[in-house]
Amino acid sequence: MRPEILFSLYAPVTSLNGVGPKIANLIARVAGDHIVDLLWHLPSGLIDRRYAPKLCDVRTGVIATLTVTVTKHIKAHNRRQPYKIVCSDDTGVLTLVFFHAREDYLRRLLPEGEERVVSGLVEGYGNELQITHPDHVGRLKDLEQLQSVEPVYPLTQGLSLKVLSKAVKGALAGLPELPEWLDKHYITKQNWPAWRDAVLAAHSPENEEQLSLNTPCRERLAYDEVLANQLALALVRSQRRRRTGRSIKSSGDLRQKLLDSIPFSLTPSQVAAADEITADLASDQRMHRLLQGDVGSGKTVVALLGMAAAIESGHQAALLAPTEILARQHFATIEPLARAVGISIQLYTGRDKGTARAAILEGFKTGSTQLAVGTHALFQEGVEFEDLAFSVIDEQHRFGVHQRLALSGKGEASDVLVMTATPIPRTLTLTAYGDMDSSRLTEKPEGRQPIDTRTFPLERLDEIVSAVQRALALGAKIYWICPLVEESEALDLAAAEDRYAHLKQVFGAQVGLVHGKMKGPDKDAVMENFAGSGIDILVATTVVEVGVDVPEATVMVIEHAERFGLAQLHQLRGRIGRGAKKSTCMLLYGAGLSGQARERLKIMRETDDGFRIAEEDLRLRGAGELMGTRQSGLPVFKIADLMAHSDLLQAARDDAKIIIEKDPELQSERGRRLRVLLYLFERDEGVRLLRS
Ligand code: ADP
Ligand code: MG
């Protein structure tokens, strides 16, 4: 249950004066549904209304707040002409201009003969001074209030600054005093205000500097937010640890056999990761580890060694892939290795039906199958394992903390290893996977050739086609990637099909096409032909569809590379350069490259280090848009900025760790205050675990 002290903040915005359902909808678009969301909707600029000269001194082109006497109203002669109100002070004259005005309203607002304060942008019109539609009109007693600095908020179509500002003011007026959850010494050291003062200050910048992300008030609020995030993850982690797993100790014979049967030796980071996994398995705490490594860095072998350890000591293991194609691919790589060392292995995807399905499930249930490879179908209703001790989940960056919890709930006390081929910047690893331990594969296996990456304008397509022709003659296989995004799906699909037709004209039957709208079996057939001998040029639309290992593929052409994100380009390019031969990646860009797109392509030319590319991606785009945050399950911060506040994140991580060590149930005085913080940022999944 949410603490009472937060009730008013979680009231709907419609409970504010002047906010009806229509405005609430607009506010929801920029901020959210609740009053608290308005608190986090911080100013992006300001309007300084402190300039209040006499009319003879007014500079034009700036905002001024002027005290004047209304001289006379001049009605418009027709609809197109404006309504004018002439005003003056003892030094000059000012005309107020209104279009489509209602006379009765203006006569009430600005009665002839009376003194009023008006604020707005002053323009020079010939020799005259005028303000068109003043932002504010008030009485003399309002002068001080009007002559202030007004925050400017991010808006949306249909939502005016005036309306939004009024709502924010309403939200701020009801701001409760919250108990201090931060460490006293830390606040003093940082020179941070209390929470309520911080919110108020963040909404009343006095000058441009105070809009910076690094003011004490913004930093305090950002720290609150990342602390809530880190604390929730730390709680999840400590709760999971307390539900003890089991200690899986193995002699290591099976692992050794595996190592003997693979034709290469492990890289240092593979060895380190494998050791960490074996240690996790041996410990009686539950493993929850992230294995990060670029495509081709050799995660599969590392996972397989862990699975061998579980199997060796009499348990089952499972490997879960996000798509059917990837599950099959994993199976194809692992099966020979597994069989060579006597592990019984089975593929299971949603496609298996009837008696085949029954037989497979029987194998899982009786334990005669030791290693299961498949899609999510593995963790669906009706699938039972005799003794699943270790689950490896491939490419799970699409899932959030909640889903991961659900998955690890399946195997009773199953140890979990999540593998991701999308290197995540360190800061994001902390915020998204802070509940997990992490291993990174940082070097590429020996014998890999670096990929030669070049960029070309799309007009030079003919040259590219000739280059492809030469590569084909040398026996290469070629990926030809066309962009496809949801918003322009039909167009994109047509473009991909056009390209396919075009290439087919040039190269004949050795060209294949695969895209997301095709049926599973059709896709597989094309992929198999590409991996085999039927197809040498594969026109494809997305990452997932090319998530398949074809070592002979040494050329990749990416059309409209400027439309892809860095992470995506990197992921795609990782499909080549897997064999011993030299590979080439050609990035074709369309007209009108933006500065950012240019920079992305430059980074792609410069490096193929996924971790560096991930950091650059974060720098260029900000965390909000990284990897399509909504689908990614990565947390979105409202105040914290992962670039500007990365040091705060690190501090929050340490803080959270110490808090949980000292007070695992959040029972102390500070603990109870921290619960309020978790609820304030809706990171209360951790608190819910406490009570259960
Ligand atoms: P990832 O899953 O990280 O993309 P894989 O595990 O599929 O990478 O490995 C890619 C290829 O590299 C596989 O063919 C694998 O057998 C090979 N490989 C893995 N580790 C090494 C190594 N240490 N030395 C040489 N080749 C390796
Ligand atoms: Mg892999």
Side-chain angles (χ1 to χ4, degrees):
M1 277 290 282
R2 181 178 290 140
E4 224 174 294
I5 194 163
L6 297 180
F7 282 2
S8 63
L9 293 180
Y10 275 90
V13 288
T14 45
S15 63
L16 293 167
N17 263 340
V19 180
K22 216 174 113 203
I23 291 171
N25 273 336
L26 295 169
I27 291 180
R29 221 173 286 161
V30 293
D33 300 321
H34 300 115
I35 287 179
V36 70
D37 299 317
L38 285 170
L39 305 185
W40 309 145
H41 193 61
L42 295 177
S44 53
L46 48 80
I47 299 174
D48 190 340
R49 299 191 187 281
R50 285 175 300 187
Y51 178 54
K54 285 287 184 187
L55 285 177
C56 64
D57 297 327
V58 165
R59 277 179 290 132
T60 55
V62 294
I63 302 260
T65 301
L66 305 167
T67 305
V68 292
T69 305
V70 181
T71 319
K72 68 168 185 244
H73 283 232
I74 304 172
K75 279 203 271 189
H77 297 300
N78 59 49
R79 291 287 297 162
R80 265 170 305 146
Q81 280 190 337
Y83 190 100
K84 293 185 174 179
I85 301 176
V86 180
C87 308
S88 61
D89 66 6
D90 46 16
T91 70
V93 175
L94 169 75
T95 307
L96 305 178
V97 177
F98 296 87
F99 290 90
H100 307 291
R102 289 216 333 266
E103 182 176 2
D104 54 341
Y105 167 75
L106 288 177
R107 284 203 180 271
R108 257 182 287 126
L109 190 68
L110 292 149
E112 282 175 6
E114 297 207 11
E115 218 169 14
R116 286 290 183 269
V117 178
V118 296
S119 185
L121 179 66
V122 183
E123 294 160 312
Y125 196 74
N127 275 335
E128 288 177 30
L129 293 172
Q130 70 176 44
I131 296 179
T132 308
H133 292 266
D135 304 323
H136 298 288
V137 176
R139 292 171 192 251
L140 225 44
K141 67 172 169 50
D142 307 320
L143 179 62
E144 199 180 332
Q145 202 203 328
L146 286 179
Q147 195 190 335
S148 61
V149 180
E150 202 178 273
V152 173
Y153 293 98
L155 299 169
T156 185
Q157 179 85 45
L159 183 65
S160 73
L161 180 61
K162 214 168 187 170
V163 167
L164 181 64
S165 296
K166 187 171 174 217
V168 174
K169 275 211 183 85
L172 294 176
L175 208 56
E177 219 45 271
L178 298 180
E180 186 55 76
W181 46 71
L182 295 185
D183 180 65
K184 271 203 203 75
H185 301 292
Y186 191 56
I187 298 200
T188 315
K189 186 173 145 248
Q190 300 282 350
N191 209 1
W192 283 344
W195 178 80
R196 186 170 180 277
D197 297 336
V199 176
L200 291 174
H203 282 277
S204 35
E206 294 274 319
N207 51 46
E208 293 287 334
E209 288 88 78
Q210 290 180 7
L211 291 167
S212 140
L213 298 176
N214 295 104
T215 59
C217 57
R218 289 231 188 183
E219 291 219 324
R220 189 225 143 113
L221 297 176
Y223 188 77
D224 284 345
E225 185 174 33
V226 291
L227 180 62
N229 162 270
Q230 289 299 302
L231 197 57
L233 289 168
L235 278 170
V236 169
R237 180 194 180 102
S238 93
Q239 292 297 315
R240 184 165 47 222
R241 295 212 148 185
R242 239 173 298 161
R243 273 180 285 144
T244 43
R246 49 187 144 179
S247 167
I248 299 168
K249 294 209 177 75
S250 55
S251 61
D253 291 346
L254 190 55
R255 257 174 301 148
Q256 193 51 53
K257 266 207 257 175
L258 256 177
L259 287 173
D260 292 343
S261 70
I262 51 178
F264 47 77
S265 49
L266 300 183
T267 64
S269 56
Q270 279 176 317
V271 173
D275 286 349
E276 283 163 341
I277 290 165
T278 325
D280 284 353
L281 286 168
S283 122
D284 60 7
Q285 292 187 327
R286 275 232 224 166
M287 150 154 60
H288 215 68
R289 181 172 289 278
L290 180 68
L291 178 59
Q292 274 183 275
D294 257 329
V295 169
S297 59
K299 296 182 293 298
T300 317
V301 179
V302 174
L304 188 58
L305 288 168
M307 296 193 280
I311 289 164
E312 186 167 43
S313 50
H315 310 285
Q316 288 168 297
L319 173 59
L320 218 79
T323 66
E324 173 121 17
I325 294 184
L326 280 172
R328 289 180 185 279
Q329 176 86 51
H330 272 310
F331 184 74
T333 354
I334 294 174
E335 189 190 35
L337 287 171
R339 297 235 189 269
V341 298
I343 294 173
S344 68
I345 179 171
Q346 176 63 54
L347 176 71
Y348 179 66
T349 70
R351 271 199 226 157
D352 307 286
K353 296 272 144 53
T355 48
R357 176 172 189 269
I360 293 171
L361 295 188
E362 185 68 10
F364 294 160
K365 197 173 171 179
T366 59
S368 68
T369 298
Q370 294 168 302
L371 176 50
V373 177
T375 59
H376 271 82
L378 272 181
F379 279 176
Q380 267 154 19
E381 205 91 17
V383 182
E384 282 174 58
F385 289 90
E386 195 225 358
D387 179 20
L388 181 63
F390 182 37
S391 311
V392 178
I393 304 172
D394 190 17
E395 317 245 280
Q396 282 294 317
H397 58 262
R398 292 176 192 84
F399 295 90
V401 179
H402 293 291
Q403 288 99 324
R404 289 206 300 275
L405 283 177
L407 286 178
S408 58
K410 185 74 184 188
E412 209 46 38
S414 158
D415 284 323
V416 175
L417 179 72
V418 176
M419 301 198 291
T420 171
T422 308
I424 302 167
R426 272 191 196 285
T427 46
L428 273 183
T429 307
L430 270 187
T431 61
Y433 297 98
D435 60 324
M436 307 172 84
D437 297 307
S438 137
S439 305
R440 290 180 148 208
L441 300 185
T442 47
E443 66 281 273
K444 301 229 185 308
E446 259 175 56
R448 293 281 158 77
Q449 297 271 0
I451 300 170
D452 182 13
T453 300
R454 297 159 184 228
T455 50
F456 301 89
L458 211 48
E459 296 101 66
R460 286 169 61 186
L461 192 71
D462 287 347
E463 278 171 58
I464 308 298
V465 171
S466 312
V468 164
Q469 198 138 31
R470 286 193 297 276
L472 272 178
L474 295 172
K477 284 187 181 276
I478 290 126
Y479 285 109
W480 191 296
I481 309 293
C482 298
L484 187 135
V485 295
E486 221 177 305
E487 300 89 69
S488 52
E489 190 180 294
L491 272 177
D492 287 346
L493 206 54
E497 272 161 357
D498 282 354
R499 181 63 66 224
Y500 169 62
H502 171 205
L503 293 173
K504 225 173 146 90
Q505 251 175 17
V506 182
F507 297 108
Q510 56 184 333
V511 188
L513 172 69
V514 64
H515 59 73
K517 292 277 130 153
M518 286 164 63
K519 292 219 171 67
D522 297 345
K523 257 196 267 189
D524 289 3
V526 176
M527 290 310 309
E528 269 157 36
N529 278 336
F530 184 58
S533 59
I535 293 176
D536 297 318
I537 304 178
L538 181 70
V539 180
T541 49
T542 59
V543 186
V544 174
E545 276 120 38
V546 294
V548 173
D549 208 0
V550 182
E552 307 82 58
T554 53
V555 177
M556 176 168 286
V557 179
I558 304 181
E559 274 194 50
H560 283 291
E562 79 280 3
R563 288 177 55 192
F564 292 89
L566 260 182
Q568 230 180 343
L569 286 173
H570 175 65
Q571 188 105 356
L572 282 168
R573 185 175 57 181
R575 294 296 147 200
I576 56 171
R578 314 196 86 179
K581 282 202 202 133
K582 204 161 164 32
S583 295
T584 311
C585 176
M586 293 181 265
L587 304 173
L588 312 190
Y589 54 88
L593 266 194
S594 72
Q596 236 198 50
R598 202 177 293 277
E599 200 164 346
R600 285 203 297 272
L601 297 182
K602 176 166 169 274
I603 293 163
M604 287 300 292
R605 274 199 315 264
E606 277 173 13
T607 183
D608 71 342
D609 173 349
F611 290 105
R612 179 174 159 214
I613 288 175
E615 299 290 347
E616 298 279 3
D617 203 13
L618 177 65
R619 181 178 63 81
L620 284 176
R621 288 203 286 169
E625 286 173 57
L626 208 63
M627 295 185 268
T629 307
R630 203 163 287 149
Q631 301 95 308
S632 71
L634 295 173
V636 185
F637 290 102
K638 294 167 177 158
I639 305 158
D641 177 290
L642 292 183
M643 294 304 287
H645 300 134
S646 62
D647 52 331
L648 295 182
L649 183 63
Q650 193 58 53
R653 177 185 166 83
D654 298 341
D655 201 1
K657 200 168 155 217
I658 294 167
I659 291 166
I660 298 299
E661 270 164 21
K662 280 206 282 209
D663 183 14
E665 295 286 329
L666 297 184
Q667 296 290 4
S668 69
E669 178 57 30
R670 183 173 180 212
R672 272 182 285 123
R673 294 172 173 202
L674 285 162
R675 288 179 182 223
V676 175
L677 172 69
L678 289 170
Y679 279 103
L680 180 64
F681 283 101
E682 296 175 277
R683 294 277 154 77
D684 42 306
E685 61 261 35
V687 185
R688 245 178 280 125
L689 285 174
L690 285 184
R691 221 170 299 106
S692 59

